[in-house]
Amino acid sequence: MRLTHLQLTDFRSYDAATVTFGPGVTTLVGRNGQGKTNVVEAVRYLSTLSSHRVASDAPLIKFGAARAVIGARVDKGGRSLSLEVTLLPGKANSARLNRGAARPRDLIGIVRTVVFAPEDLALVKGDPGGRRTFMDELCVALQPPLSGDLADYDRVLRQRSSMLKTARNARGDLTMLDIWDEKLAELGGRIVAARRRAVASLAPFVWSAYADVAPDGGDCQVKYSTSLDRSEGRNAEDVEPLAADASAAVIAERLLDRLRELRNKEIERGVTLAGPHRDDLEIRLGEMPAKGYASHGESWSCALALRLGSYDLLTADDGPDSGDDGEPILILDDVFAELDSGRRAALAARLVDASQVLITAAVAEDVPQALSGEVIRVAAGFIEQPDSPAPGQESTPDSPDGSADTDD
Ligand SMILES: Nc1ncnc2c1ncn2[C@@H]1O[C@H](COP(=O)(O)OP(=O)(O)OP(=O)(O)O)[C@@H](O)[C@H]1O
Ligand SMILES: [Mg+2]
């Protein structure tokens, strides 16, 4: 899969910008604060409808503007597709696919990206929430319809939690709670099953990526750790762990049992104590957990291995949602400055054959020579492309070459 055109309107620092991308590596170079990350953030937004930097959409809209528009054209599985999403503050986004109206959700999974950025250190050192998001994004890339289950789970969880608080004040009729338990368990079962499958597939790729970037660093192992294999008031050895191939229905049943077992405690505390929102991705270096034990450099290598492993897994994925063209766009946002020469070289060696890589760097010399590819200079929100079209002749995602859409 390859991005060929990107067009931004009132996105971040850009009033209007058009960028064309070739295959292989493109490096965006410019001093700090000039708008490099803003460009790759827009590409990543199209793939997940979320930013890798902020949780809400508001900062993505140009300050003072009413909306932002990201448009793109991609080549996927031999077809050319155009995508557009409009971000509206405080309202639902709207979207277009090949010029027709579409649900924003329909765009998810068409563009696949894997972003590695300095913020990723939190994947290793930070709270479980970041690792859950990492797993969920990977699951959605592998299986886009799961994004609906994730959104529904969040909604049901919020409603159930407020019901628990009400139940604390007015004990009695708990029929409604039973209904919410069933919904939560059904959605939770599907989410936990998808995450366990994704992590089991990811593990060998992470192990091998870590061996590449930290050849003397030992084994990096990842494993799904679930609240369903724990039980308050019981010893861990008394709880039979879920079978490796447990189905979504079996996991849902286990979650329902846990909710029944925990109900009094939940009513007391007003929170849901079991389910995918309490789970984690366990990362180990050798015997020890990476969090709390790994050095700064080892943590960086682990974070890089998680992203490179995801990239390799998605590239190898030939499932129905990969469109026979699963290889994602790899985005390396400001990471070379953080890597020593050995890791830079290891990363470069892995990427020379990648179908599309977007790199941002404040200092061009930080990017290994073998990787620099086409260089786009970014200064004060202006994008200077080697073959920029003359003013008035800019191509757009809807008609990059004046030809009609191949897909209708
Ligand atoms: N919603 C917004 N409206 C207007 N300007 C914005 C908005 N959000 C961010 N900016 C501006 O965009 C600039 C940051 O752009 P970006 O993060 O792309 O920089 P960068 O080139 O990647 O810099 P660095 O090398 O420091 O990472 C800042 O000057 C910031 O003020
Ligand atoms: Mg940046």
Side-chain angles (χ1 to χ4, degrees), residues 221-264:
Q221 308 278 357
V222 292
K223 204 176 122 211
Y224 191 64
S225 156
T226 176
S227 52
L228 304 184
D229 281 345
R230 297 187 280 272
S231 186
E232 285 174 38
R234 281 203 277 165
N235 293 325
E237 54 271 23
D238 295 338
V239 183
E240 180 150 354
L242 281 166
D245 60 351
S247 67
V250 166
I251 298 171
E253 202 50 48
R254 169 76 71 101
L255 176 50
L256 206 51
D257 287 347
R258 291 282 286 131
L259 294 175
R260 289 193 190 113
E261 176 187 306
L262 288 162
R263 180 165 285 183
N264 286 340

Side-chain angles (χ1 to χ4, degrees), residues 16-281:
T18 304
V19 198
T20 59
F21 295 94
V25 180
T26 302
T27 307
L28 297 145
V29 180
R31 285 184 294 108
N32 295 133
Q34 303 299 302
K36 306 179 295 293
T37 299
N38 293 348
V39 173
V40 294
E41 187 179 35
V43 179
R44 135 95 201 202
Y45 191 91
L46 276 178
S47 68
T48 59
L49 300 185
S50 65
S51 156
H52 68 290
R53 295 197 285 187
V54 286
S56 82
D57 283 356
L60 306 180
I61 298 167
K62 190 168 169 86
F63 197 73
R67 70 191 57 194
V69 184
I70 308 171
R73 188 175 266 283
V74 299
D75 283 343
K76 184 165 178 156
R79 294 194 315 165
S80 180
L81 305 169
S82 67
L83 295 82
E84 187 183 280
V85 60
T86 302
L87 288 71
L88 299 155
K91 286 196 221 143
N93 290 347
S94 68
R96 293 171 71 77
L97 181 56
N98 293 328
R99 296 182 189 166
R103 291 176 309 172
R105 200 183 269 191
D106 296 336
L107 301 192
I108 293 178
I110 295 178
V111 176
R112 278 178 161 186
T113 59
V114 168
V115 183
F116 182 53
E119 290 85 348
D120 286 334
L121 199 54
L123 280 179
V124 181
K125 295 190 169 200
D127 294 333
R131 289 183 289 278
R132 287 193 288 266
T133 304
F134 166 81
M135 291 189 281
D136 290 342
E137 284 176 3
L138 183 62
C139 291
V140 169
L142 290 164
Q143 190 191 327
L146 195 80
S147 68
D149 285 343
L150 288 163
D152 289 346
Y153 183 85
D154 273 355
R155 187 176 46 81
V156 170
L157 182 66
R158 271 199 306 277
Q159 275 161 339
R160 185 177 185 274
S161 297
S162 75
M163 193 155 286
L164 284 170
K165 291 187 180 92
T166 319
R168 184 172 45 190
N169 303 331
R171 281 177 182 268
D173 185 15
L174 296 175
T175 337
M176 280 308 287
L177 202 51
D178 289 339
I179 295 169
W180 287 111
D181 283 4
E182 303 250 342
K183 284 190 187 175
L184 194 83
E186 188 192 334
L187 293 161
R190 289 211 287 270
I191 293 167
V192 172
R195 284 187 190 165
R196 291 172 97 231
R197 264 198 315 275
V199 172
S201 310
L202 178 68
F205 289 106
V206 170
W207 181 89
S208 113
Y210 190 80
D212 274 3
V213 294
D216 307 321
D219 281 350
C220 180
Q221 308 278 357
V222 292
K223 204 176 122 211
Y224 191 64
S225 156
T226 176
S227 52
L228 304 184
D229 281 345
R230 297 187 280 272
S231 186
E232 285 174 38
R234 281 203 277 165
N235 293 325
E237 54 271 23
D238 295 338
V239 183
E240 180 150 354
L242 281 166
D245 60 351
S247 67
V250 166
I251 298 171
E253 202 50 48
R254 169 76 71 101
L255 176 50
L256 206 51
D257 287 347
R258 291 282 286 131
L259 294 175
R260 289 193 190 113
E261 176 187 306
L262 288 162
R263 180 165 285 183
N264 286 340
K265 207 164 240 167
E266 288 190 329
I267 291 176
E268 220 170 86
R269 296 205 208 156
V271 286
T272 299
L273 292 170
H277 65 290
R278 308 280 292 194
D279 294 354
D280 200 352
L281 177 72

Side-chain angles (χ1 to χ4, degrees), residues 267-347:
I267 291 176
E268 220 170 86
R269 296 205 208 156
V271 286
T272 299
L273 292 170
H277 65 290
R278 308 280 292 194
D279 294 354
D280 200 352
L281 177 72
E282 198 179 285
I283 309 167
R284 286 183 174 270
L285 275 187
E287 295 289 291
M288 291 178 283
K291 184 174 174 172
Y293 290 82
S295 73
H296 185 74
E298 286 171 335
S299 301
W300 254 101
S301 298
C302 277
L304 181 55
L306 287 174
R307 293 300 184 194
L308 289 178
S310 305
Y311 175 79
D312 291 342
L313 170 61
L314 291 172
T315 301
D317 170 48
D318 55 3
D321 293 307
S322 70
D324 291 332
D325 193 2
E327 183 169 358
I329 301 167
L330 183 65
I331 297 175
L332 302 171
D333 183 19
D334 231 348
V335 293
F336 283 99
E338 308 270 352
L339 299 172
D340 62 22
S341 56
R343 287 192 185 85
R344 281 184 195 179
L347 188 53

